[in-house]
Amino acid sequence: MLNVAILGAGRIGRIHATNIAAHAKMRVTAIVDPVPDAARTLASQVGADVLNLEAVLSDPGIAGVVVASPTDQHLDHTRRALAAGKAVMCEKPLDLDLTTALGAADVMSGDNVPLLLGFNRRFDRHFSTLKQQIIAGRIGSLESLLIVSHDPSPPPVAYIKVSGGLFKDMAIHDFDMARFLLDEEPVEVFATTACLVDPAIREAGDFDTARTVLKTASGKICVISNSRRSGYGYDQRIEAYGSKGLLKADNLTETTVSHWGQDGAQADTFQNFFLSRYADAYRAEADHFSDIITGASKPCVGYRDAIRALALAEAAARSATTGQVVHL
């Protein structure tokens, strides 16, 4: 069994800890969190010890570290864990500042660095199948994408204040997915934003609604729609338009049962949030991490992807502020 430590006992830390504890090849050995009660609760649930960071990094028996600590600690914790010889899975974003993140290239870039970035949607079987069919030429040459990512309701304002903003906290997943599917780097970014859901979000210095247009050098266009509140569930859709047709990854519903009557058709509700919608993707991500720890695989999404997504997030923020297209 591969011993793994979890840094952070919050919501995302609990997801990773639960998946790793249930994994056939890994076990959770340690939980690190500055809040003792949170650390003890999660440790008891997964059969781990509560340790401090120094104890984890100095333990040669711990092969992997999951960085699910607060965002402003991601870069430092990742750097230290890599320096200690651990394989690392770090939640997004790698940092809240692109320049700071670029300063870590000396230890984080390179094909042999065991660093996996937590862009879990790449492991979603619906999106990965869409990618495979694009590559297979099912719709001819890819020309444009539409990515819809709407949360069912906004997070607490206290979270928004420390999240880094909608582009770095939420849309960064969509920037990574755009790069993944386009297979070409965007060179132009235009974004517009509004606060339509909750005035408190504006008062916190953020916005809750955004539309972003990415354009590649060859002319491919991706439109990304983000909202902190859908009013109808967790809306996660992708449409890929090509020279020979359309590929579409649609929303998942709680069941596949639908009713057809004189008033038309009715389907079940959309899955409520990312915990259920991407549960399988998180498990597949854990599988990949175990292969990284053993050296059986190299990370399919790493430091370069973290930098590119963060650069798009900052470019979108600049565009929204200035009203101008940002060239990369």
Side-chain angles (χ1 to χ4, degrees):
M1 296 293 283
L2 304 168
N3 294 325
V4 176
I6 310 292
L7 310 188
R11 181 172 61 182
I12 195 66
R14 293 193 297 271
I15 292 172
H16 291 306
T18 301
N19 287 334
I20 290 173
H23 199 272
K25 299 179 182 178
M26 297 185 290
R27 64 183 175 191
V28 181
T29 302
I31 302 294
V32 179
D33 195 284
V35 181
D37 287 346
R40 284 193 293 266
T41 298
L42 182 55
S44 66
Q45 291 171 353
V46 298
D49 294 324
V50 175
L51 299 178
N52 59 37
L53 180 58
E54 288 69 26
V56 165
L57 298 181
S58 63
D59 187 344
I62 295 177
V65 171
V66 174
V67 178
S69 47
T71 303
D72 60 0
Q73 298 174 27
H74 284 182
L75 190 67
D76 178 61
H77 286 169
T78 298
R79 187 197 296 270
R80 293 177 65 184
L82 288 172
K86 317 296 185 185
V88 178
M89 177 164 66
C90 178
E91 268 303 316
K92 60 76 196 171
L94 181 61
D95 196 74
L96 291 174
D97 179 73
L98 178 60
T99 301
T100 303
L102 285 168
D106 57 333
V107 294
M108 295 187 190
S109 61
D111 293 338
N112 296 318
V113 177
L115 171 60
L116 174 65
L117 259 294
F119 289 120
N120 64 294
R121 296 180 190 181
R122 292 203 187 201
F123 298 91
D124 177 76
R125 61 188 177 92
H126 309 282
F127 296 164
S128 61
T129 299
L130 188 147
K131 167 75 170 181
Q132 292 163 11
Q133 293 195 17
I134 291 174
I135 293 173
R138 188 81 182 273
I139 56 171
S141 300
L142 178 66
E143 296 173 348
S144 64
L145 291 173
L146 170 63
I147 299 177
V148 177
S149 182
H150 296 176
D151 285 352
S153 59
V157 173
Y159 170 81
I160 287 176
K161 289 180 179 179
V162 298
S163 69
L166 184 146
F167 287 127
K168 291 180 181 178
D169 171 57
M170 178 184 180
I172 198 164
H173 277 294
D174 306 304
F175 295 138
D176 179 70
M177 185 52 56
R179 294 183 58 250
F180 177 60
L181 296 175
L182 290 168
D183 199 28
E184 187 178 345
E185 297 296 343
V187 296
E188 294 181 9
V189 181
F190 177 77
T192 185
T193 62
C195 196
L196 304 173
V197 175
D198 186 351
I201 295 177
R202 181 188 296 110
E203 293 169 7
D206 200 12
F207 38 82
D208 49 45
T209 306
R211 298 295 182 271
T212 306
V213 180
L214 310 177
K215 188 174 183 179
T216 70
S218 70
K220 295 176 185 176
I221 294 173
C222 175
V223 177
I224 299 173
S225 176
N226 294 116
S227 175
R228 290 289 194 183
R229 180 206 60 202
S230 69
Y232 51 87
Y234 193 39
D235 191 356
Q236 298 285 290
R237 290 174 281 136
I238 298 179
E239 296 179 4
Y241 298 88
S243 58
K244 296 181 179 179
L246 161 71
L247 286 169
K248 184 176 182 180
D250 214 336
N251 282 302
L252 303 185
T253 54
E254 291 293 346
T255 72
T256 60
V257 177
S258 60
H259 170 259
W260 296 66
Q262 291 183 344
D263 295 330
Q266 289 185 322
D268 207 342
T269 56
F270 294 158
Q271 291 185 330
N272 185 53
F273 206 26
F274 76 93
L275 297 175
S276 53
R277 171 61 181 84
Y278 291 115
D280 288 342
Y282 279 115
R283 286 189 283 267
E285 185 181 47
D287 285 338
H288 185 51
F289 187 48
S290 72
D291 289 339
I292 293 169
I293 294 174
T294 62
S297 295
K298 293 183 178 180
C300 68
V301 52
Y303 176 74
R304 179 179 180 275
D305 303 293
I307 292 298
R308 294 289 187 175
L310 187 55
L312 290 173
E314 292 201 353
R318 288 199 302 274
S319 177
T321 300
T322 64
Q324 302 295 316
V325 172
V326 173
H327 298 272
L328 299 174

